[in-house]
Amino acid sequence: MDLKLFVAGLAMGLAIAAPLGPVNLIVIREAVARGWLAGLIVGLGAVLADCAFAAIAAFGLSAITAFYDAHATAFNLAGGALLVAIGIGAARSHVAIGELQAPRGTGSSLARAITAFATTITNPGALIGVLAVFSAMANVLKLQESQLRPYEIIAAFAAGGLVWWFGLSFAISHVRKRLSEAMLNRINRWTGVIIAAFGFVLLMNVWG
C-alpha cells in the first residue's frame, strides 16, 4: 500500500470518528461500565457503518447516495427516534459500583454495537460528512489511478476509526475504577440527555 495513501486514510478515519457525537457517548458509557474491550466492540459498529459510507465515496456509487437523499426524512425519523430512546434509557439507568469490579459479558456490548451501526447508518449527515472528507482529499487519494486504491483507502479509513475507538475505550477504562457511584450515575444522566438531544435535533429536521 502507498504510505501516503495509508496515512491519508488513517487521518480521514480519525477525523470522522473523533468528533463528539452519540456513538462516542455510547462508547464512553460502555467503557466506564464494562472496560475497554466492551467500548471497542461498540465502536466497531460505527466503523462498519462508516466503511459502508467510505465505499460509496471510494467507488462513486451515486445511486446509493441518491437513495439516501431521497429518503432523508425516513432516515432522520428512524435515527432520531432511536437516539431519543437510547438517551432516555441511559438517563434512567443506574450503574452499581459492583459493575466496575465485575464487568458483564460482551452480549450487551454486541447489542450496543448493533445500535451504534444503526445510529450511524440511519444518519444522512454521517454520509455527507464522509463524502465531504473524500471530496476534499480527492487530489491526494487519486482513486482513479489503480483498481486497488479504493480498497486500500477503505482499509486505511477503517484502521483510523479503530485507532480512535481503541484509544478512547482504553483511556476511559483506565479511569473508571477511580469514579464514585454518584459520578457514574451523573455520567449516565448527562450522556443520556445529550444523546436524546441529538435525536431531537434529527426529529426537528424532519418537521423544521
Side-chain angles (χ1 to χ4, degrees):
M1 179 185 288
D2 182 342
L3 180 59
K4 187 177 181 180
L5 184 67
F6 177 78
V7 171
L10 196 71
M12 291 162 63
L14 283 166
I16 291 298
L20 181 64
V23 176
N24 272 272
L25 296 174
I26 295 170
V27 168
I28 289 170
R29 290 184 69 251
E30 197 70 8
V32 165
R34 298 177 180 86
W36 70 268
L37 181 58
L40 180 60
I41 289 171
V42 175
L44 287 174
V47 169
L48 289 175
D50 285 335
C51 283
F53 293 148
I56 292 172
F59 291 103
L61 303 180
S62 57
I64 296 179
T65 305
F67 177 83
Y68 263 83
D69 289 340
H71 297 84
T73 297
F75 282 116
N76 280 331
L77 279 172
L82 180 63
L83 288 177
V84 170
I86 293 169
I88 292 173
R92 296 182 62 187
S93 65
H94 176 80
V95 177
I97 201 70
E99 292 182 8
L100 299 182
Q101 282 74 44
R104 286 174 282 180
T106 59
S108 296
S109 298
L110 288 172
R112 286 177 173 80
I114 295 171
T115 298
F117 176 85
T119 297
T120 305
I121 208 73
T122 57
N123 182 7
L127 172 61
I128 293 169
V130 173
L131 292 177
V133 169
F134 269 78
S135 297
M137 297 290 290
N139 291 335
V140 175
L141 302 181
K142 299 176 181 177
L143 298 177
Q144 70 282 356
E145 287 189 356
S146 166
Q147 291 183 339
L148 290 178
R149 287 180 78 85
Y151 296 99
E152 292 172 348
I153 193 61
I154 292 169
F157 182 86
L162 288 173
V163 166
W164 171 257
W165 297 123
F166 172 77
L168 178 64
S169 300
F170 190 78
I172 295 297
S173 69
H174 273 65
V175 301
R176 68 192 182 107
K177 291 186 179 179
R178 303 173 191 170
L179 301 176
S180 67
E181 189 167 312
M183 179 63 74
L184 289 174
N185 284 290
R186 278 197 293 271
I187 291 172
N188 254 7
R189 283 195 298 273
W190 284 107
T191 55
V193 168
I194 296 171
I195 289 169
F198 279 110
F200 281 118
V201 168
L202 284 179
L203 293 175
M204 286 174 65
N205 285 339
V206 175
W207 289 290

